[in-house]
Amino acid sequence: MKQQLLDKARARRTRPTTAQAQGPEDDIFAHRTTAPLEISDDFVRFDRQPGYQQLSMMQQAGAAFGVPEPFFRVHEGCAGATTRIDGRELVNFASYNYLDYSRHPEVIKAAAEAAAHYGTSVSASRAVSGERPIHRELEAAVARTYEVEDAVVFVSGHATNVSTLGYLLGPKDLILHDEWIHNSSLVGAQLSGARRMPFAHNDPDALEALLSSQRGKFERVLIVTEGLYSMDGDVPDLPRLIALKQQYRCWLMVDEAHSFGVLGKRGLGLREHFDIAARDVDIWMGTMSKTLSGCGGYIAGCKELVSMLRYFAPGFLYSVGMPAQVAAPSLKILELLQGDDARQRIARLHAVSGYFLTRARALGLDVGDSLGVAVVPVILGSSLVAARLSNQLFEAGFNVQPILHPAVPEKSARLRFFLSCEHTETQVDAVLETLIQQLSDIKAGL
């Protein structure tokens, strides 16, 4: 034990000092008498950290080019097809309120009644004393909707992926993911300690090549994809992914953060879009913050998967339970999605999104491979152009967020449009006409 302590002490001494005390070599406390190490300010000052340096450089560049920062604008009410910022009403293309349920009277009532009955916090992790009936009701509703055995809800969508991947996989395993997968899956993969390999975006052939060469080297292998990619508005070839995971005996996980409530006539997501059985996918993940108008995430699948996550996933086990007033809106919306009004909302969303895509293409804009449902990018190929155009559209009454390097490659810098069922063709025409005019003016001035 003494030798182990000595070895650990030596390992911690990464930089010797000139004023090292000359005590016995086996005295593991000898370093207490040494002079302080000379540590660079680069390692102790926050303003010297790489992240802050990068942020400062971006802000200085924006100021030099006369482009105000487009982030953290304060919305002064519910953000749907329109919003209010700095006292101005704008047409809003920057929110995930796809079916406009966030302001629905029944949804708001459900939240208020839940808060009145259960209080504003359950005040403990669910495993300890934070469990409430509404948690079980919400999870049962998610499972019924997906036609699987069980589901579990987390208080954060990001933490849902981080904790699920981080718990399920380990150093002897492999995670294969689309190169454009969400950050939460990347962080979860890093936490797991599993080997991680990306494959080309929406390229099943590239995935198969990796499976063919790598599957036999690992124990568990997980394929991770998204239902609707929020940067590009496109979808994966789910039937092909299912065939590959069956052939190579892998797990398949689909992140439905943006696809649930959006794809399919009933809003059931990627499985309805391709008309496949939900149980052909091992792990369904989704978030409560888009169509379901709450906050948090869920995992749906077989009862064994869900049981493990309930008892062992750190992001669930060690987090406070979801507040009742956050669970209640999502539970109410899962009920509303079964009605005719929901089908009408989904149909309107599909119609106005398709109209946007068609009009944008007709105007010569690059919309990539967008399916034309809820998410449509306009790819500009320059972060400066994207930032300037976003600001000019804001001044003209349209809230559209730019996606800049390094979030995407410089050649892929873009404006990202999120459509709502409450947007109109008139609003679409107005923003696209303004965009074309402003884009022409910007290019002429460069």
Side-chain angles (χ1 to χ4, degrees):
M1 183 179 296
K2 180 178 179 181
Q3 187 60 46
Q4 289 175 355
L5 288 171
L6 285 168
D7 291 342
K8 289 180 181 180
R10 291 193 188 99
R12 286 196 297 267
R13 295 170 187 161
T14 59
R15 185 183 300 178
T17 66
T18 57
Q20 182 85 33
Q22 300 300 315
E25 186 172 331
D26 62 346
D27 183 359
I28 63 172
F29 301 106
H31 67 278
R32 290 186 176 180
T33 63
T34 65
L37 295 174
E38 294 182 5
I39 303 298
S40 169
D41 282 353
D42 291 346
F43 305 127
V44 293
R45 287 177 50 173
F46 287 110
D47 63 343
R48 297 282 186 89
Q49 303 312 301
Y52 186 79
Q53 292 290 316
Q54 180 183 358
L55 175 61
S56 297
M57 182 178 66
M58 293 168 57
Q59 291 174 334
Q60 290 167 12
F65 286 106
V67 181
E69 184 175 321
F71 309 115
F72 294 99
R73 286 172 174 153
V74 179
H75 295 250
E76 297 161 357
C78 182
T82 59
T83 190
R84 180 168 291 276
I85 301 174
D86 293 334
R88 298 170 57 219
E89 184 170 286
L90 298 97
V91 181
N92 183 36
F93 293 99
S95 294
Y96 311 139
N97 192 9
Y98 298 128
L99 299 185
D100 201 45
Y101 276 133
S102 187
R103 71 176 91 220
H104 192 287
E106 291 185 48
V107 175
I108 294 172
K109 180 182 178 184
E113 290 179 347
H117 183 75
Y118 294 105
T120 59
S121 173
V122 300
S123 304
S125 70
R126 288 175 57 185
V128 178
S129 62
E131 191 80 349
R132 301 293 184 270
I134 199 166
H135 295 139
R136 300 291 183 92
E137 293 167 16
L138 175 57
E139 289 167 344
V142 171
R144 283 195 305 271
T145 302
Y146 272 92
E147 299 177 318
V148 295
E149 292 178 336
D150 206 352
V152 58
V153 297
F154 293 71
V155 291
S156 159
H158 191 280
T160 301
N161 277 337
V162 171
S163 202
T164 298
L165 272 68
Y167 167 71
L168 286 178
L169 286 302
K172 296 181 180 180
D173 304 325
L174 172 65
I175 297 174
L176 300 173
H177 63 84
D178 190 291
E179 63 179 334
W180 293 351
I181 203 71
H182 192 266
N183 170 269
S184 55
S185 291
L186 296 179
V187 175
Q190 292 167 355
L191 176 65
S192 73
R195 180 78 181 274
R196 178 178 66 85
M197 296 182 185
F199 56 90
H201 178 58
N202 278 349
D203 188 344
D205 291 336
L207 172 60
E208 184 169 18
L210 284 173
L211 286 167
S212 178
S213 64
Q214 301 295 326
R215 177 61 185 98
K217 302 176 183 178
F218 299 90
E219 294 183 354
R220 288 169 288 267
V221 174
L222 173 67
I223 302 166
V224 188
T225 188
E226 293 188 23
L228 179 67
Y229 282 88
S230 64
M231 287 291 182
D232 288 79
D234 55 353
V235 300
D237 184 347
L238 184 60
R240 178 79 185 281
L241 296 182
I242 290 171
L244 287 173
K245 79 101 178 179
Q246 291 172 343
Q247 178 183 350
Y248 288 93
R249 294 181 61 78
C250 307
W251 289 331
L252 174 61
M253 178 176 180
V254 179
D255 180 337
E256 287 225 283
H258 290 271
S259 53
F260 181 78
V262 167
L263 295 181
K265 291 183 179 180
R266 295 181 295 161
L268 296 180
L270 194 64
R271 67 189 177 95
E272 184 183 10
H273 179 76
F274 283 106
D275 191 24
I276 62 101
R279 298 193 184 200
D280 286 342
V281 171
D282 302 282
I283 306 171
W284 292 101
M285 179 270 175
T287 57
M288 308 291 185
S289 56
K290 282 75 174 179
T291 295
L292 294 179
S293 300
C295 191
Y298 59 83
I299 295 290
C302 68
K303 64 180 190 296
E304 294 84 0
L305 165 69
V306 172
S307 294
M308 285 191 296
L309 295 178
R310 275 205 182 99
Y311 280 88
F312 301 119
F316 178 84
L317 184 62
Y318 299 107
S319 289
V320 70
M322 181 180 289
Q325 72 273 18
V326 174
S330 297
L331 178 60
K332 172 57 68 173
I333 291 168
L334 287 172
E335 175 189 327
L336 293 174
L337 282 173
Q338 301 175 41
D340 290 336
D341 177 68
R343 288 178 175 81
Q344 293 170 11
R345 288 172 184 254
I346 294 165
R348 293 201 308 271
L349 173 64
H350 288 191
V352 74
S353 301
Y355 181 78
F356 186 103
L357 186 74
T358 300
R359 288 287 298 129
R361 283 179 173 158
L363 291 168
L365 296 170
D366 182 359
V367 293
D369 295 322
S370 175
L371 188 68
V373 180
V375 182
V376 184
V378 172
I379 301 170
L380 300 165
S382 164
S383 292
L384 177 58
V385 170
R388 279 186 172 174
L389 190 53
S390 172
N391 184 61
Q392 292 183 7
L393 287 173
F394 183 80
E395 295 301 320
F398 304 98
N399 186 42
V400 186
Q401 285 294 295
I403 305 297
L404 314 174
H405 178 77
V408 293
E410 178 63 17
K411 65 180 181 180
S412 298
R414 65 194 61 193
L415 296 181
R416 186 170 57 164
F417 289 82
F418 292 108
L419 281 299
S420 159
C421 66
E422 294 303 304
H423 279 119
T424 66
E425 292 183 359
T426 299
Q427 290 171 331
V428 169
D429 287 335
V431 72
L432 289 178
E433 289 168 7
T434 305
L435 186 156
I436 288 292
Q437 182 57 57
Q438 297 286 5
L439 181 59
S440 176
D441 293 344
I442 289 173
K443 289 182 175 179
L446 290 178

